[in-house]
Amino acid sequence: EIVLTQSPGTLSLSPGERATLSCRASQSVSSSYLAWYQQKPGQAPRLLIYGASSRATGIPDRFSGSGSATDFTLTISRLEPEDFAVYYCQQYSNSRTFGQGTKVEIK
Amino acid sequence: EVQLVESGGGLVQPGGSLRLSCVASGFTFSGYWMSWLRQGSGKGLEWVANIKQDGSEKYYVDSVRGRFTISRDNAKSSLYLQMNSLRAEDTAVYYCARGKGYFDPWGQGTLVTVSS
């Protein structure tokens, strides 16, 4: 099983700041089969990024994904008030597993 | 609008059974792999099972294999999860989602509580 470790656990930032979230895999994720989701309280997760760097339909271009093999990053270039949420990475290279999440909170 | 609506959750005793349903609308259901995922209270996300467009291939996470069965009815645009021999650790919000690898969109979820 591929274990995904996200860091930091919590990120305290102000609106307008840049957020950088990390996702590290215990073994290589082939073909960059890595996705990112956003989840707000009481809601289902929403797909942001698939294939490590492709934005899902309707996702603003302030969200970007990068990385390969075992190290992946989600960047939010300028935080909007609606971006404060929990973010999960997920791999679909070997079965499907999720990271434990990074909470982006208002500082 | 693409929409997935789950139902069938509730309180069940350990060892009991429950059948979850998910009705899809706004897209050609028969053209997509479909999946079930779950999220325990205060816990992370876990993929549970998925099923090919025609139902000919089904895959499960190890922890539910042999106890849960995923199925679909394309004529009704519906996805199902039959859950048997339920355990306390199966307590979670269960989501249906479109997709095989990554998941988009997700339904709103249905809560399953396994407790005596």
Side-chain angles (χ1 to χ4, degrees), chain B residues 44-74:
Chain B
L45 294 158
E46 182 179 43
W47 167 77
V48 174
N50 61 16
I51 184 169
K52 193 176 180 179
Q53 289 91 328
D54 62 358
S56 61
E57 294 181 33
K58 305 175 185 181
Y59 300 95
Y60 301 90
V61 69
D62 286 348
S63 59
V64 309
R65 189 175 295 113
R67 299 189 298 123
F68 290 12
T69 302
I70 189 172
S71 62
R72 64 192 296 162
D73 184 337
N74 288 339

Side-chain angles (χ1 to χ4, degrees), chain A residues 1-105:
Chain A
E1 174 181 301
I2 297 178
V3 176
L4 300 178
T5 302
Q6 294 186 239
S7 61
T10 301
L11 200 50
S12 298
L13 295 168
S14 300
E17 290 193 293
R18 181 184 187 90
T20 303
L21 287 67
S22 174
C23 176
R24 180 160 291 179
S26 60
Q27 55 188 277
S28 184
V29 176
S30 61
S31 303
S32 295
Y33 287 157
L34 194 287
W36 290 93
Y37 300 85
Q38 176 194 68
Q39 187 176 33
K40 297 179 181 178
Q43 296 185 16
R46 177 175 71 143
L47 177 69
L48 300 174
I49 301 287
Y50 63 93
S53 60
S54 298
R55 267 187 304 276
T57 303
I59 301 303
D61 60 7
R62 64 180 181 274
F63 290 92
S64 63
S66 62
S68 62
T70 60
D71 287 289
F72 297 88
T73 300
L74 175 70
T75 302
I76 311 172
S77 58
R78 293 172 310 279
L79 282 165
E80 297 288 341
E82 62 267 27
D83 298 337
F84 292 91
V86 178
Y87 292 83
Y88 294 96
C89 58
Q90 177 237 327
Q91 66 80 24
Y92 47 104
S93 169
N94 181 341
S95 189
R96 288 94 181 92
T97 54
F98 289 82
Q100 83 281 13
T102 290
K103 181 179 182 180
V104 178
E105 65 175 23

